[in-house]
Amino acid sequence: MTTTEIPPVDATTALAERLLEAVTSSLELAAVHLGSELGWYRALAEAPATAPELAGRTGTAPRYAREWLEQQAVAGILTVDDVTAGPDERRYALPEAHRPVLVDQDDLAFMPPFAHAALVFTRNVPRLLEVYRTGGGLSWAEMGDARDAQAAANRSYFLGPMASQDLASVPGIDQALRAGGRVADVGCGMGWSAIGIARAYPQARVDGFDVDEPSVEQARRNAEAAGVADRVRFTTVDAAAAGEEAGYHLVTAFECVHDLADPVDVLAGMRRMVRPGGTVLVVDEKVAERFTAPGDTVERLMYGYSVTCCLPDGLSTRPSAGTGTVMRPATLEGYAREAGFAGVDVLPVEHDFFRFYRLRGKA
Ligand SMILES: C[S@@+](CC[C@H](N)C(=O)[O-])C[C@H]1O[C@@H](n2cnc3c(N)ncnc32)[C@H](O)[C@@H]1O
């Protein structure tokens, strides 16, 4: 018997192949964004369609619909009934298992906002070339619809298990909020975390603070639409100054401390805001405890966000801590101690991407 030896793929070829695969994936992400924004996935979730039918139902151009449908089927995202049929006769369908990922915005698996975020961040690369040379920054406001992608990406978690399961699993927090506690949500963005807490705890009152006016305006509209505007209030303010308000049972900062130019100042503000016996909670990226290379997929994702978005955002205000997305537990502990806390505990909340930190007050 003879065997054919397959030569080992050398490292050069392996890297070239990996990057080519990444190019394909990034183009597929752009196609996912097109399908989501044009309402094509929603239309296909209602009923399978040929290219002319899809274009007719969504008011879009048939030739583009045809190319996109073919691309989606080739990518394995849609199925096609008969590959041998003519281009305008083939009928395409969205498999039931793909519906949560592409259509159901309340599902934790809903991915279009992440595709949107990747496109927003990579769209900024020409500006990044400039700031990488000069050492400048690119603010959240300058990134345009980054705020929309960010809010949509966290929406299903914030309205779902974040409050009803994860906050509820922390006895001190659950008790205080059930009893009608007050919550301050710092760096609240478009308000979904504040709204999620208000919905899970019908007696609680929540104040959201963010420096970005368009986010705060949208947060108010979101609270109104969610029917909680009577208990959820949003204010445009630098979070360091929000610390003038006090007496909160819970003060939170979701996925924003690593973006802050002056995290110590903001954490000190949060310390002033919390009432004695209350809780200060920072929820931030679940990165490795120390730098290791190569890193796992979470670490790769977070460094991807950092080089394209969070570090340039953090450096857009000076002076700046320049933290970046990869804020390790020891870094947060350092900021917390400088802000007057006694230390930081990691809470036993299971999440693939977030770590829950409780900041301990001084005895
Ligand atoms: C990555 S977004 C996170 C938003 C939201 N918490 C979420 O998880 O979707 C960071 C937020 O921090 C806000 N931010 C940055 N610096 C701030 C400051 N000094 N005071 C208040 N908000 C700030 C930004 O405007 C932005 O809305």
Coordinates of all heavy atoms in Angstrom, one line a residue, residues 13 21-22 39 44 76 89 95 125 171 197 211 241-242 275 284 308 335-336 353 356:
T13 N 2.6 30.0 4.6 CA 1.3 29.6 3.9 C 0.1 29.7 4.9 O -1.0 30.2 4.6 CB 1.4 28.2 3.3 OG1 2.6 28.2 2.6 CG2 0.2 27.9 2.5
E21 N -8.8 34.1 4.6 CA -10.1 33.7 5.2 C -10.7 35.0 6.0 O -11.9 35.2 5.9 CB -9.8 32.6 6.2 CG -11.0 32.0 6.9 CD -12.0 31.4 6.0 OE1 -11.6 30.8 5.0 OE2 -13.2 31.5 6.2
A22 N -9.8 35.7 6.6 CA -10.3 36.9 7.3 C -10.9 38.0 6.3 O -11.8 38.6 6.6 CB -9.2 37.6 8.1
G39 N -33.6 45.0 5.3 CA -34.8 44.3 5.6 C -34.9 42.9 4.9 O -36.0 42.3 4.9
L44 N -37.2 37.4 4.4 CA -37.0 36.0 4.2 C -37.4 35.1 5.4 O -37.8 34.0 5.2 CB -35.5 35.7 3.9 CG -35.0 36.2 2.6 CD1 -33.4 36.2 2.5 CD2 -35.5 35.3 1.4
G76 N -23.4 29.9 3.0 CA -24.0 29.0 3.9 C -24.9 29.6 4.9 O -25.3 29.0 5.9
E89 N -35.2 32.3 -10.8 CA -36.2 31.3 -10.4 C -35.9 30.6 -9.1 O -36.7 30.0 -8.4 CB -36.4 30.2 -11.5 CG -37.3 30.6 -12.6 CD -36.7 31.6 -13.6 OE1 -35.6 31.3 -14.1 OE2 -37.3 32.7 -13.8
P95 N -32.8 29.6 7.1 CA -33.0 28.4 8.0 C -33.5 28.9 9.4 O -33.0 29.9 9.9 CB -31.6 27.7 8.1 CG -30.8 28.3 7.0 CD -31.4 29.6 6.7
V125 N -10.4 53.7 9.6 CA -8.9 53.4 9.5 C -8.2 54.6 8.8 O -7.1 54.9 9.3 CB -8.7 52.1 8.8 CG1 -7.3 51.9 8.4 CG2 -9.0 50.9 9.8
P171 N -26.8 39.0 46.2 CA -27.8 39.2 47.2 C -28.0 40.7 47.6 O -29.1 41.2 47.7 CB -27.3 38.3 48.4 CG -26.4 37.3 47.7 CD -25.8 37.9 46.5
I197 N -32.6 47.4 34.1 CA -32.7 47.4 35.6 C -34.1 47.8 36.0 O -34.7 47.2 36.9 CB -31.6 48.2 36.2 CG1 -30.2 47.7 35.9 CG2 -31.8 48.4 37.7 CD1 -29.0 48.6 36.3
V211 N -21.9 61.6 28.8 CA -21.4 62.9 28.3 C -21.8 63.1 26.9 O -21.8 64.2 26.4 CB -19.8 62.9 28.5 CG1 -19.2 62.0 27.4 CG2 -19.3 64.3 28.5
A241 N -18.4 64.7 37.2 CA -19.2 65.7 37.9 C -20.6 65.1 38.4 O -21.2 65.7 39.3 CB -19.5 66.8 36.9
A242 N -21.0 64.0 37.8 CA -22.2 63.4 38.2 C -22.1 63.0 39.7 O -23.1 62.8 40.4 CB -22.6 62.2 37.4
R275 N -24.4 55.3 48.6 CA -24.7 55.5 50.0 C -23.9 54.5 50.8 O -23.5 53.4 50.3 CB -26.2 55.4 50.2 CG -26.7 54.0 49.9 CD -28.1 53.7 50.5 NE -29.1 54.8 50.2 CZ -30.1 55.0 51.0 NH1 -30.4 54.3 52.0 NH2 -31.0 55.9 50.6
D284 N -16.9 45.1 32.9 CA -16.0 45.5 31.8 C -15.5 44.2 31.2 O -15.9 43.1 31.6 CB -14.8 46.4 32.3 CG -14.5 47.4 31.3 OD1 -14.0 47.1 30.2 OD2 -14.8 48.6 31.5
T308 N -8.8 49.8 17.0 CA -9.7 50.5 16.0 C -10.6 51.5 16.7 O -11.1 52.4 16.0 CB -10.5 49.5 15.2 OG1 -11.3 48.7 16.1 CG2 -9.7 48.7 14.3
Y335 N -6.7 51.7 39.5 CA -7.6 52.9 39.4 C -8.5 53.0 40.7 O -8.7 54.1 41.2 CB -8.5 52.8 38.2 CG -7.8 52.8 36.8 CD1 -8.4 52.3 35.7 CD2 -6.5 53.4 36.7 CE1 -7.8 52.3 34.5 CE2 -5.9 53.5 35.4 CZ -6.5 52.9 34.3 OH -6.0 53.0 33.1
A336 N -9.0 51.9 41.1 CA -10.0 51.9 42.2 C -9.3 52.4 43.5 O -9.8 53.2 44.2 CB -10.6 50.5 42.4
F353 N -18.0 37.4 27.9 CA -17.3 38.6 27.6 C -17.1 39.6 28.7 O -16.2 40.5 28.6 CB -17.9 39.3 26.3 CG -18.0 38.4 25.1 CD1 -19.1 37.8 24.8 CD2 -16.8 38.1 24.4 CE1 -19.2 36.9 23.6 CE2 -16.8 37.3 23.3 CZ -18.0 36.7 22.9
F356 N -17.7 41.0 36.2 CA -18.4 41.9 37.1 C -17.4 42.2 38.3 O -17.0 41.2 39.0 CB -19.6 41.2 37.7 CG -20.8 41.3 36.7 CD1 -20.7 40.8 35.4 CD2 -22.0 41.9 37.1 CE1 -21.8 40.9 34.5 CE2 -23.1 42.0 36.3 CZ -23.0 41.5 35.0

